[in-house]
Amino acid sequence: MALARLLLASGRPVDLADLRFTSTYGDLREGYPCKTVNDLRIRGLLRAAERAHPGTPVHLVPPPREYPDQYAGGLGPVEVLPAVACLGTFHSTALDPAHDPVAYRSRLTVLWFQSAPHLPSGCGPEQALRDLDWPGLARDTRAPA
């Protein structure tokens, strides 16, 4: 059963099958949020998504980055990402019309950031989810039995 259904801008319905929230900076022990720390965090989340969902493509929705007027340390200016990292696995009907519609689904795992932990609704900050190029990013896989 899907957690939520999203209608993409293309008109394709996609179902959210799995969603995990992580605090963007919950494990930041030293330093401060800056480009280097943020890029490492994003790469780590993408690698974890690839390990957790082998065979499913992973896509990053580029996060908004804010630059508050705060003291810049040795790592450069303060750069802040939204507070919650979201990792969602979506599926829809098969992309290839030759695939059996019962046996195949198209799948995509997406990493995006938002200010609070809530299900994507298809409006507001999740507009980037609605604009996903599903045929270009997703991949057909056999549906689990």
Side-chain angles (χ1 to χ4, degrees), residues 28 30-32 39 51 54 57 64-66 69 73 81 95 117 125:
L28 184 62
E30 293 184 28
Y32 58 94
D39 289 348
R51 284 190 307 271
R65 297 172 186 246
E66 294 182 13
D69 188 20
L81 299 175
L95 294 167

Short mmCIF file of all heavy atoms in Angstrom, two decimals, residues 28 30-32 39 51 54 57 64-66 69 73 81 95 117 125:
data_model
loop_
_atom_site.label_atom_id
_atom_site.label_comp_id
_atom_site.label_asym_id
_atom_site.label_seq_id
_atom_site.Cartn_x
_atom_site.Cartn_y
_atom_site.Cartn_z
N LEU A 28 25.96 16.39 13.40
CA LEU A 28 27.08 17.33 13.21
C LEU A 28 27.73 17.58 14.57
O LEU A 28 27.18 18.25 15.43
CB LEU A 28 26.58 18.64 12.60
CG LEU A 28 27.63 19.69 12.27
CD1 LEU A 28 28.60 19.16 11.21
CD2 LEU A 28 26.97 20.96 11.76
N GLU A 30 31.19 18.56 15.14
CA GLU A 30 32.13 19.68 15.18
C GLU A 30 31.93 20.52 13.94
O GLU A 30 31.44 20.06 12.92
CB GLU A 30 33.57 19.17 15.23
CG GLU A 30 33.91 18.45 16.51
CD GLU A 30 35.38 18.05 16.54
OE1 GLU A 30 36.20 18.73 15.91
OE2 GLU A 30 35.67 17.05 17.21
N GLY A 31 32.37 21.75 14.03
CA GLY A 31 32.28 22.64 12.88
C GLY A 31 30.93 23.31 12.79
O GLY A 31 30.22 23.46 13.78
N TYR A 32 30.58 23.65 11.59
CA TYR A 32 29.34 24.38 11.34
C TYR A 32 28.88 24.03 9.93
O TYR A 32 29.66 23.54 9.11
CB TYR A 32 29.56 25.88 11.51
CG TYR A 32 30.63 26.43 10.59
CD1 TYR A 32 30.31 26.98 9.36
CD2 TYR A 32 31.98 26.39 10.94
CE1 TYR A 32 31.28 27.47 8.51
CE2 TYR A 32 32.96 26.88 10.11
CZ TYR A 32 32.61 27.43 8.89
OH TYR A 32 33.58 27.91 8.04
N ASP A 39 28.00 19.16 1.23
CA ASP A 39 28.27 18.28 0.10
C ASP A 39 28.62 16.87 0.58
O ASP A 39 28.18 15.88 -0.02
CB ASP A 39 29.39 18.84 -0.77
CG ASP A 39 28.95 20.08 -1.55
OD1 ASP A 39 27.74 20.37 -1.60
OD2 ASP A 39 29.84 20.77 -2.11
N ARG A 51 22.76 1.86 -1.52
CA ARG A 51 22.94 0.58 -0.82
C ARG A 51 21.59 0.01 -0.35
O ARG A 51 21.36 -1.19 -0.40
CB ARG A 51 23.87 0.74 0.38
CG ARG A 51 25.33 0.85 0.00
CD ARG A 51 26.23 0.75 1.22
NE ARG A 51 25.91 1.68 2.29
CZ ARG A 51 26.38 2.91 2.40
NH1 ARG A 51 27.22 3.39 1.51
NH2 ARG A 51 26.03 3.68 3.41
N PRO A 54 19.26 -1.30 -3.98
CA PRO A 54 20.06 -1.71 -5.14
C PRO A 54 19.18 -1.97 -6.35
O PRO A 54 18.08 -2.50 -6.23
CB PRO A 54 20.76 -2.98 -4.66
CG PRO A 54 19.99 -3.47 -3.51
CD PRO A 54 19.30 -2.29 -2.90
N PRO A 57 17.35 3.40 -9.49
CA PRO A 57 18.11 4.64 -9.64
C PRO A 57 17.81 5.61 -8.51
O PRO A 57 16.71 5.61 -7.95
CB PRO A 57 17.66 5.20 -10.98
CG PRO A 57 16.51 4.37 -11.43
CD PRO A 57 16.40 3.18 -10.55
N PRO A 64 17.68 23.79 -1.66
CA PRO A 64 17.95 25.22 -1.51
C PRO A 64 19.03 25.41 -0.45
O PRO A 64 19.10 24.65 0.52
CB PRO A 64 16.61 25.79 -1.03
CG PRO A 64 15.89 24.64 -0.42
CD PRO A 64 16.37 23.41 -1.13
N ARG A 65 19.90 26.36 -0.67
CA ARG A 65 20.99 26.64 0.26
C ARG A 65 20.87 28.10 0.69
O ARG A 65 20.75 28.97 -0.15
CB ARG A 65 22.35 26.37 -0.41
CG ARG A 65 22.51 24.90 -0.81
CD ARG A 65 23.77 24.69 -1.63
NE ARG A 65 23.85 23.32 -2.14
CZ ARG A 65 24.78 22.45 -1.77
NH1 ARG A 65 25.70 22.78 -0.89
NH2 ARG A 65 24.79 21.24 -2.28
N GLU A 66 20.89 28.31 1.99
CA GLU A 66 20.80 29.67 2.54
C GLU A 66 22.14 30.07 3.12
O GLU A 66 22.89 29.23 3.62
CB GLU A 66 19.72 29.74 3.61
CG GLU A 66 18.32 29.51 3.07
CD GLU A 66 17.26 29.64 4.15
OE1 GLU A 66 17.57 30.14 5.25
OE2 GLU A 66 16.13 29.23 3.88
N ASP A 69 23.87 35.61 7.59
CA ASP A 69 24.95 36.56 7.91
C ASP A 69 25.55 36.17 9.26
O ASP A 69 25.19 36.71 10.29
CB ASP A 69 24.40 37.98 7.93
CG ASP A 69 25.51 39.02 8.05
OD1 ASP A 69 26.68 38.68 7.75
OD2 ASP A 69 25.21 40.15 8.45
N GLY A 73 34.00 30.63 9.44
CA GLY A 73 35.23 30.06 9.99
C GLY A 73 36.17 29.62 8.89
O GLY A 73 36.06 30.05 7.74
N LEU A 81 21.25 24.05 4.84
CA LEU A 81 20.25 23.30 4.09
C LEU A 81 18.98 23.21 4.93
O LEU A 81 19.02 23.40 6.15
CB LEU A 81 20.75 21.88 3.80
CG LEU A 81 22.01 21.74 2.97
CD1 LEU A 81 22.43 20.27 2.89
CD2 LEU A 81 21.82 22.31 1.59
N LEU A 95 7.37 1.77 -17.69
CA LEU A 95 7.66 2.74 -18.75
C LEU A 95 7.59 2.09 -20.12
O LEU A 95 7.09 2.69 -21.07
CB LEU A 95 9.06 3.34 -18.54
CG LEU A 95 9.22 4.20 -17.29
CD1 LEU A 95 10.69 4.46 -17.01
CD2 LEU A 95 8.45 5.49 -17.44
N PRO A 117 9.24 17.48 8.84
CA PRO A 117 8.90 16.12 8.42
C PRO A 117 7.41 15.98 8.13
O PRO A 117 6.59 15.91 9.04
CB PRO A 117 9.33 15.26 9.62
CG PRO A 117 9.26 16.18 10.79
CD PRO A 117 9.53 17.56 10.28
N PRO A 125 6.77 23.33 -1.24
CA PRO A 125 8.18 23.04 -1.48
C PRO A 125 8.43 21.78 -2.31
O PRO A 125 9.48 21.60 -2.86
CB PRO A 125 8.77 22.86 -0.08
CG PRO A 125 7.74 23.30 0.88
CD PRO A 125 6.43 23.33 0.16
#
